Amino acid sequence: MSAPAISQAIELRHRAEIEAGSLPPLLVQAEQLAGSVLLGEHGRRRAGMGDDFWQYRPAQPGDSRNLIDHRRSARGDQQFIREREWQIAQTVHVWVDQGGSMRFASTPDLPLKIDRARKLALAASILMVRGGERVGLTGTTLPPRSGNMQILRMAEALCIEDEADYAPPEHHAMIPHARGLFISDFLGPFEELQLALSKAADRGLRGILLQVLDPSEEGFPFSGRTLFESVSGGLRHETLKASALRDRYLDRLAERRDALENLCRATGWRMGLHHTGDSAQAALLWLYHALERTE
């Protein structure tokens, strides 16, 4: 290899290292996790099918101007997007709880609940985009799109934390008859989640609730004098005999899980449970197939 070619190769490697270093660590981890799952046949990319007109919908922030139907938009002051059946079927709205309760790990060797939730959500999004689907966050900040750039935008958005102990799910701007993926510990106020899933069901959305818990939240291995404190410090409770609270706590946890499962049955969603001490790969594989069955 000539000296100029060697110099060019070194420069190219240097630029690549700079670019790789600027990627969010979350994206690197999610790419690795997604790569561990065998990508099967996913989505509805079949020639000659799914091209039927489905509906007009109001244009949202982030929509490309190329998607605007000018003939329909000319009838009034609002711009509209003409969507086809395959576009609806291949759209997924993702919500990850960014609240303080998710920033918890009972031991240093376990990941924070929020870290596991983010990685699973982004890895699932990577698989769906590779399958030809459009993925975005709930709300209006990041509407569903396809492509690798959308994954980078999602990685950046998922790193933004919420100061509240419990962050309510966003339920605005969800496209009718699309699919949803909500990941949280679901230990916060139940009414907000109930409202979000009821609105989603009214629009024909079906999806997955994945509850992510630390193993200690399932087993309650506390005894003696214990101080329970929320991540934000806003809630505190000290007891001299923590073991006396165990049965009441487990009963409340079982009641919450029953409420979640009943809500899923009523709205046509599916419920999953993942512990941060378990394999992330197994959880992603379950999510991947569960999302396929919601089509």
Side-chain angles (χ1 to χ4, degrees):
M1 183 179 293
S2 64
I6 293 175
S7 177
Q8 186 177 10
I10 293 174
E11 176 63 22
L12 179 62
R13 178 179 177 180
H14 178 66
R15 290 201 306 268
E17 288 175 347
I18 293 175
E19 290 295 327
S22 66
L23 291 177
L26 170 63
L27 180 57
V28 177
Q29 296 168 10
E31 286 277 9
Q32 293 172 346
L33 180 58
S36 69
V37 173
L38 180 63
L39 183 61
E41 187 173 337
H42 194 51
R44 298 181 177 176
R45 303 175 68 182
R46 297 174 185 158
M49 294 184 65
D51 289 330
D52 293 335
F53 169 73
W54 182 270
Q55 67 174 9
Y56 290 110
R57 68 165 174 84
Q60 300 174 357
D63 284 333
S64 170
R65 296 188 62 85
N66 295 333
L67 298 176
I68 295 174
D69 189 288
H70 296 286
R71 181 175 297 180
R72 172 64 180 86
S73 301
R75 300 177 191 172
D77 297 329
Q78 190 171 14
Q79 293 181 322
F80 286 87
I81 302 295
R82 178 185 177 94
E83 290 195 313
R84 292 183 168 87
E85 184 177 4
W86 71 269
Q87 292 175 315
I88 297 293
Q90 296 186 169
T91 298
V92 183
H93 293 279
V94 177
W95 173 73
V96 176
D97 187 347
Q98 308 276 56
S101 72
M102 294 291 288
R103 298 192 291 274
F104 171 72
S106 57
T107 63
D109 59 329
L110 288 172
L112 298 177
K113 291 186 292 182
I114 183 60
D115 289 342
R116 179 59 57 85
R118 287 167 171 163
K119 185 161 71 171
L120 287 173
L122 193 60
S125 298
I126 290 170
L127 291 178
M128 288 184 283
V129 164
R130 289 178 182 174
E133 306 196 24
R134 300 186 305 167
V135 182
L137 300 180
T138 54
T140 59
T141 56
L142 193 59
R145 290 180 178 175
S146 58
N148 292 330
M149 185 56 67
Q150 178 73 347
I151 294 298
L152 180 58
R153 295 189 191 102
M154 290 185 67
E156 294 172 345
L158 287 173
C159 291
I160 300 174
E161 296 181 347
D162 196 306
E163 295 181 359
D165 282 328
Y166 301 103
E170 174 65 72
H171 53 74
H172 295 95
M174 289 189 287
I175 298 173
H177 306 289
R179 286 173 292 153
L181 171 59
F182 285 15
I183 305 180
S184 170
D185 56 15
F186 298 115
L187 298 178
F190 188 73
E191 295 74 15
E192 294 287 349
L193 176 64
Q194 192 172 32
L195 174 63
L197 255 65
S198 296
K199 286 195 171 185
D202 289 343
R203 297 169 188 166
L205 271 83
R206 298 293 182 267
I208 306 296
L209 289 188
L210 181 65
Q211 186 178 35
V212 175
L213 295 176
D214 184 275
S216 68
E217 293 174 316
E218 194 79 65
F220 200 82
F222 306 106
S223 61
R225 183 175 181 177
T226 306
L227 174 64
F228 297 98
E229 185 176 16
S230 65
V231 175
S232 68
L235 299 173
R236 294 169 58 94
H237 177 73
E238 185 174 3
T239 178
L240 297 177
K241 193 175 182 182
S243 58
L245 302 176
R246 187 174 189 274
D247 289 343
R248 279 185 289 168
Y249 168 81
L250 294 178
D251 286 344
R252 292 289 298 274
L253 184 63
E255 289 174 3
R256 173 52 60 94
R257 187 159 301 149
D258 287 343
L260 290 170
E261 291 175 350
N262 289 335
L263 179 60
C264 284
R265 280 192 291 268
T267 55
W269 284 50
R270 297 191 64 189
M271 173 78 185
L273 173 64
H274 173 67
H275 297 123
T276 54
D278 294 339
S279 164
Q281 183 178 356
L284 177 60
L285 192 60
W286 181 87
L287 273 180
Y288 173 68
H289 292 296
L291 281 166
E292 281 191 324
R293 287 194 287 270
T294 62
E295 294 184 0

